[in-house]
Amino acid sequence: MQKNITSLNALNWDDLKFFLEVARTRKASNAAKRLGVDYTTVSRRISSLETALGTLLFEKSRTNGFVLTAEGQRLLSYAETIESTLHMACEQVSGSGVALSGHIRMGCTEGFGSFFITPQLSHFVDAYPAISVDILPLPHFISLSKREADIVIALERPEHGPYVCCKLTDYTLRLYATQDYLDSHGPIRQPSDLNSHPFVSYVDDLAFSSELLYLANLLPGASANLRSTSVIAQYVAALQGRSLAILPCFLAAQDPRMIAVLPEEVEITRQFWMYCREDLRKLKRITLLWDYIREVTEMNHAFLMGEPAPLRFRQPLAAER
């Protein structure tokens, strides 16, 4: 019993912050960058925590970095609970001005993040200047468990985990080409005509979601002579007038250079899901951004479904300025 009391008294609670960052990034150098300190400080704080607890929390590997031991895994869940509780406590005892401040990271698919979410967030941070937002429009899975993001917008609903999740919206994709392409290639009057036309599409085995593999499912006879993991790269390639591309309407329909081909016959509907960790969902700044994204998405339903509608922005209330 005396040993436990001594260990607790020797524990520096601030060391848990360093532990969490190393556990999430698996590299002391990356943790140091996120915390704004040097590598030696991170290493020293981790050693201090291990000494205070009397156990090894990480095994160090040249290839895998800092790997949590079984004891480290057990501590991680407790440390995250402490972190969330501290966030909630600060909001409860602080004024509303403090509660509506801080930093949020939002992960999102590349096209939606770049062409819809980022423009909307530029208006959000203008209305709430005390809140800073990182948008991560990356074409790969973003881990909430490693706190790579606080909120994620994805093509698929998470199968399990301590998450709050909602369907954000449906959206439409259609087949697009430039006028130059249509003028210089054979006529396209029906879907069977597409078998002789070149496409730009995803790299099948590198697609981060099966929801992206619509070309093979919709047009089995079509061939892609140029492929990319980036929907923006596909969009730019189609603009060169040498291939067709299936693109989200929120990306291509607002560009007058892009023309929808067989819009009635070639149309795909997909969904976006928004989710975050249960413990973070209660934070006021997370709730504010969550509700804001849902509102502006609903406001732009027609735009996202490929109907002739402009991109709309929510007008902030005077009290938000």
Side-chain angles (χ1 to χ4, degrees):
M1 180 67 69
Q2 184 63 37
K3 180 180 178 181
N4 291 337
I5 293 175
T6 302
S7 297
L8 187 60
N9 290 338
L11 179 65
N12 184 339
W13 297 101
D14 199 40
D15 289 343
L16 290 174
K17 178 175 65 176
F18 290 81
F19 167 76
L20 283 169
E21 289 299 336
V22 174
R24 289 164 182 164
T25 63
R26 300 183 68 169
K27 290 186 178 180
S29 56
N30 290 348
K33 290 179 181 178
R34 291 178 63 163
L35 292 167
V37 298
D38 56 34
Y39 174 92
T40 56
T41 298
V42 173
S43 180
R44 176 171 53 81
R45 299 300 285 268
I46 295 299
S47 295
S48 172
L49 181 60
E50 290 178 330
T51 300
L53 295 174
T55 188
L56 186 68
L57 299 173
F58 295 99
E59 292 184 355
K60 303 173 184 64
S61 165
R62 286 188 178 182
T63 55
N64 298 320
F66 282 64
V67 180
L68 286 168
T69 62
E71 291 77 10
Q73 288 283 0
R74 285 194 286 269
L75 178 62
L76 179 61
S77 62
Y78 289 110
E80 289 186 331
T81 299
I82 293 170
E83 180 186 49
S84 300
T85 302
L86 285 173
H87 282 306
M88 290 294 297
C90 289
E91 285 199 346
Q92 292 297 322
V93 301
S94 301
S96 60
V98 175
L100 295 182
S101 63
H103 185 69
I104 304 173
R105 277 192 165 184
M106 171 171 278
C108 191
T109 57
E110 184 192 31
F112 194 57
S114 299
F115 284 81
F116 181 80
I117 294 297
T118 298
Q120 299 294 342
L121 288 182
S122 68
H123 289 253
F124 177 85
V125 296
D126 184 49
Y128 301 98
I131 299 177
S132 61
V133 183
D134 290 346
I135 178 69
L136 310 176
L138 303 176
H140 64 71
F141 176 76
I142 294 174
S143 173
L144 287 183
S145 62
K146 295 180 180 179
R147 295 293 172 92
E148 293 177 348
D150 302 307
I151 301 175
V152 169
I153 298 175
L155 293 170
E156 299 172 334
R157 182 173 187 163
E159 295 182 358
H160 54 80
Y163 306 133
V164 176
C165 180
C166 72
K167 179 182 174 181
L168 186 59
T169 184
D170 290 327
Y171 71 100
T172 299
L173 304 98
R174 292 196 176 105
L175 182 62
Y176 286 94
T178 63
Q179 189 63 56
D180 285 345
Y181 178 90
L182 296 175
D183 291 342
S184 59
H185 291 76
I188 304 174
R189 301 187 180 91
Q190 54 191 3
S192 60
D193 294 334
L194 295 170
N195 292 334
S196 60
H197 287 261
F199 284 79
V200 56
S201 186
Y202 283 95
V203 181
D204 290 0
D205 58 328
L206 295 180
F208 68 93
S209 170
S210 60
E211 294 294 317
L212 297 173
L213 304 179
Y214 27 71
L215 181 60
N217 296 327
L218 185 67
L219 304 168
S223 61
N225 60 345
L226 180 62
R227 299 186 295 170
S228 174
T229 57
S230 165
V231 68
I232 295 178
Q234 295 172 40
Y235 163 65
V236 173
L239 283 174
Q240 307 312 304
R242 288 173 169 78
S243 57
L244 300 163
I246 296 177
L247 299 169
C249 295
F250 61 74
L251 190 163
Q254 59 182 325
D255 189 334
R257 296 171 295 178
M258 302 301 286
I259 299 171
V261 179
L262 300 178
E264 300 299 323
E265 292 90 345
V266 184
E267 181 178 285
I268 303 168
T269 300
R270 290 288 188 268
Q271 297 79 39
F272 284 121
W273 298 83
M274 182 164 67
Y275 57 98
C276 71
R277 291 176 59 96
E278 289 177 343
D279 53 350
L280 295 181
R281 180 67 178 86
K282 300 175 184 178
L283 294 177
K284 291 181 180 178
R285 64 179 180 273
I286 299 295
T287 297
L288 184 68
L289 181 56
W290 179 282
D291 292 344
Y292 184 92
I293 293 298
R294 292 196 67 176
E295 183 178 347
V296 297
T297 302
E298 182 177 352
M299 180 189 304
N300 284 282
H301 178 75
F303 172 79
L304 295 170
M305 295 303 294
E307 298 174 17
L311 179 61
R312 299 173 60 196
F313 299 95
R314 175 181 178 272
Q315 294 300 315
L317 300 175
E320 295 174 345
R321 289 246 175 221

